[in-house]
Amino acid sequence: EYFSVVPNHPCFFPGDAKKYEKLTFQEAIEKNLKVMDATAFSLARDYNLPILVFNLLKSGNIKKAVLGEKVGTLITKGGEE
């Protein structure tokens, strides 16, 4: 199960031009990524709820996300491979 976040901006992390394939919650908080606020990242971390950030407007991305294919950025507690 994942919690999906679809940012309004086509660049996944406004203010940070780099696109990440995978991050930990701590990295997302430390990098001050603008997808969600630090409280939301912390709550997801505390409840071990991975977050999948992807572009909803790109054709085929929803299907990829549902099928578990690589799309967007996966934010997790870390240590999971």
Side-chain angles (χ1 to χ4, degrees), residues 2 52 60-72:
Y2 296 101
L52 181 62
N61 274 359
I62 295 173
K63 182 178 179 180
K64 287 179 183 178
V66 169
L67 294 175
E69 296 176 18
K70 287 188 178 191
V71 61

Side-chain angles (χ1 to χ4, degrees), residues 34-52:
K34 304 297 182 190
V35 176
M36 300 168 35
D37 64 27
T39 302
F41 280 127
S42 295
L43 285 169
R45 178 189 59 207
D46 293 347
Y47 287 94
N48 198 22
L49 182 62
I51 299 170
L52 181 62

Side-chain angles (χ1 to χ4, degrees), residues 11 19 22 24 27 32 36 49 55 57 62 69 72 80:
C11 176
K19 181 179 177 234
K22 192 169 185 179
T24 66
E27 290 170 330
N32 195 28
M36 300 168 35
L49 182 62
N55 185 345
L57 301 177
I62 295 173
E69 296 176 18
E80 304 101 20

